[in-house]
Amino acid sequence: MTKEPARILVVGGGYVGMYTALRLQQRLKRELRSAREGRGGVQVVVLGPDPYMTYQPFLPEAAAGSISPRHVVVPLRRVLPHCRVVTGEATSIDHARRVATVETLATEHAGTGPIEVPYDELVLAPGSVSRTLPVPGLADHGIGFKTVEEAIGLRNHVLEQLDIASSTRDPDVRAAALTFVFVGGGYAGVEALAELEDMARHACRYYHNIRPADQKWILVEATDRILPEVGEAMGRYAVRELRRRNIDVRLETRLDSCENRVAHLSDGSRHPCRTLVWTAGVKPHPVLAETDLPLDERGRLRCTATLRVDGVEHAWAAGDAASVPDLAAGGASGAGGPGGEPGRECAPNAQHAVRQARLLADNLVASLRGEELKAYRHAYAGSVASLGLHKGVAQVYGRKLRGYPAWFLHRAYHLSRVPTVNRKTRILAEWTLAGLFKREIVSLGSLEHPRAEFELAAGTGRHPEGP
Ligand SMILES: Cc1cc2nc3c(=O)[nH]c(=O)nc-3n(C[C@H](O)[C@H](O)[C@H](O)COP(=O)(O)OP(=O)(O)OC[C@H]3O[C@@H](n4cnc5c(N)ncnc54)[C@H](O)[C@@H]3O)c2cc1C
């Protein structure tokens, strides 16, 4: 007679989801085998909307074309052969009943409605989403920078603007096409802008009528500094470096509206533009509000230092979705990093997400075996950021680096961190080839409409570039 295995449901296949499952796979070999053989044991189910984990720190390089989009994602099925990977989304969780309501690709296509997935242990790690504000026009014209789709969409879009500017006789259309506005001066916004500006400047040499100086790149930041992750002095250096490249960095400035593709800033300036990138912070994933688990005032899951959801049995969380006490605050490196509540909780970043995921898995295994749990403690080590090819800024363990050494450290650090030897090798090969040959500057925006040409031929559609 077969015996039902205990089920660990991991919601989210990002940093926390993937690293937790990897560790569980390593620590629960015997139990996972028993489950496969129908002898009880433990089954690990990983649920996420995509069958891959995205290594987000490489998105800016993917947008710039230095790394192919396929290599910034890690296929979950390949790295988690002993787990069940399900492509779908949890829409709500009833932890009192130990049931997640899940919409899978199959239920969505069949229109049958969501299914209920029972579990014994829950790891909730849906991460965060862009924190938007009710700025008029933002929802219609803005684009975020959190996913590989957004990064590649933005790359194609920027290159397409050069094509538009090059082929129009209308000075207003040309000016708007060549104006790129980025809102938010954290690493996502600054790295994305710096990498794309670098790429667009390089691409100009292939257009007979566009010079780099014709482009207007604007960074809008509400506070008086950018890149809080690398410390104040390096943040100031980054502003100087960007301004030296003719990038218009506007501190203590907000985007008031962007209706009809005109960015109105709080300093009174207005900028007609066809590109508006919103990277002004993140907020916890909205699915957290659809659970019966305790949330803090910011909407993150309230957790203990052992990564258990506070006061709840059999529920665990980590990463951007979790509010974890920062036990290292006040230590050598201070609080858990910018974006957290200094001295109180860990900031939402990959550095914490990866380490928390490993401890979460260890504590979950310990709890299954009736062993003692350990508390999470990590002093923020600092950060590295790229400002385009051969340019960067870093502060690591109090040491400040800038220019080429910082850029090199950024690449070396992330290469060492990106999961799997396969990905590391491919990325290294791409960087090496990029050093030997010129950058790719082709826009493949039409990939986003693969049926357009056929619909035109069949007479049922409209060419996307048509009137
Ligand atoms: C452009 C960019 C650059 C960055 N650079 C750095 C850096 O240099 N250093 C650093 O420390 N941090 C960096 N970060 C932040 C870092 O990537 C995040 O802190 C980290 O990804 C958090 O891990 P997570 O597992 O909590 O969330 P994620 O990695 O975002 O994973 C969440 C996963 O859950 C899935 N999910 C969402 N909703 C559901 C649902 N309802 N059901 C099932 N699954 C769901 C999502 O699709 C996603 O796969 C960067 C972020 C961005 C966007």
Side-chain angles (χ1 to χ4, degrees), residues 11-17 47-50 52-54 56-60 88-91 125-128 145-146 187-188 191 285 287 318-321 348-353 383-384 410 414:
V11 176
Y15 267 89
V16 173
L47 173 72
D50 305 303
Y52 52 78
M53 175 262 192
T54 303
Q56 289 172 337
F58 274 150
L59 289 181
E89 265 183 76
T91 53
S128 51
F145 199 79
K146 266 192 76 67
Y187 40 34
E191 288 191 323
H285 197 284
V287 74
D320 286 11
N349 60 47
Q351 207 175 113
H352 285 302
S383 227
V384 289
H410 163 85
H414 286 299

